[in-house]
Amino acid sequence: MAHSILVLYGSYRADRLGIRLAQYAVRELNDLGADAALIDAKAIDLPMLDRMYKEYPVGEAPPALEELAERIRKADAFVFVTGEYNWGVQPGLKNLTDHFLEEWFWRPAAIASYSAGRFSGVRAALAWHGTISEMGMVPISSSLAVGGIGKALDADAQPVGEAGAALAGAFPRFAADLAWWAEAARVQRQNAGTPY
């Protein structure tokens, strides 16, 4: 049974390059047998957080929120594709994730970070690690860090140059680690349920 994986991306910039990494991740995960889909915060365009999904009476959440909650609940795993804004996380991705809480529980998450420069968004990745844990997910140990994002993936999200080759070389282990944890969590949820 293929693992359902949501790849979450959060830049709202007009000339965003990180979308290439998100598209690459979706394509590669699907090629490896997963059922991966992109969740683009800009396309969904949730308002700034006022009321979490769980704070709406049943059946009264806005349709976009209701649909996304259902997709999150059905997913086996998540990939957070994150750029770095002033040593921190992208506000669009953080806003999207903060609309939910229990919907994320008991599944693994992986972090793929990027930047235009050589630090590859690793400070945002570090911040996401703690956030993901607090949100009830298990961050896996494998991660991706892509520096020089504009030179690592072309406009069709195909790896190019030395950075692209490094990404292509690292991705199979990243995906295998996520798949292992996704299967372990799925089996445990099916066999033992969840503690709460």
Side-chain angles (χ1 to χ4, degrees), residues 18-135:
I19 190 71
R20 297 176 184 183
L21 181 55
Q23 293 165 337
Y24 173 82
V26 169
R27 185 182 67 234
E28 293 300 307
L29 288 165
N30 284 327
D31 286 351
L32 291 168
D35 179 14
L38 176 64
I39 301 296
D40 181 353
K42 183 177 181 179
I44 295 171
D45 200 25
L46 295 177
M48 288 301 294
L49 180 62
D50 172 39
R51 184 182 295 180
M52 293 179 72
Y53 170 73
K54 69 180 182 178
E55 294 171 328
Y56 285 93
V58 174
E60 293 184 24
L65 209 56
E66 192 70 61
E67 179 185 333
L68 186 51
E70 185 64 18
R71 293 184 76 181
I72 293 169
R73 281 192 295 265
K74 288 182 176 178
D76 293 308
F78 309 100
V79 175
F80 286 76
V81 177
T82 181
E84 181 177 308
Y85 290 12
N86 299 320
W87 283 42
V89 301
Q90 290 169 322
L93 185 55
K94 184 70 166 71
N95 183 61
L96 182 141
T97 59
D98 284 345
H99 276 82
F100 306 96
L101 186 57
E102 292 87 350
E103 291 76 20
W104 301 109
F105 285 6
W106 315 115
R107 269 82 49 79
I111 302 166
S113 65
Y114 67 90
S115 70
R118 63 188 176 94
F119 287 112
S120 311
V122 295
R123 291 171 291 220
L126 181 61
W128 272 113
H129 199 280
T131 300
I132 285 168
S133 295
E134 177 61 21
M135 293 173 65

Side-chain angles (χ1 to χ4, degrees), residues 168-192:
F171 196 86
R173 179 178 177 167
F174 174 83
D177 194 359
L178 184 61
W180 190 95
W181 281 104
E183 183 62 19
R186 183 190 329 188
V187 168
Q188 186 66 0
R189 287 192 313 273
Q190 289 172 348
N191 293 345

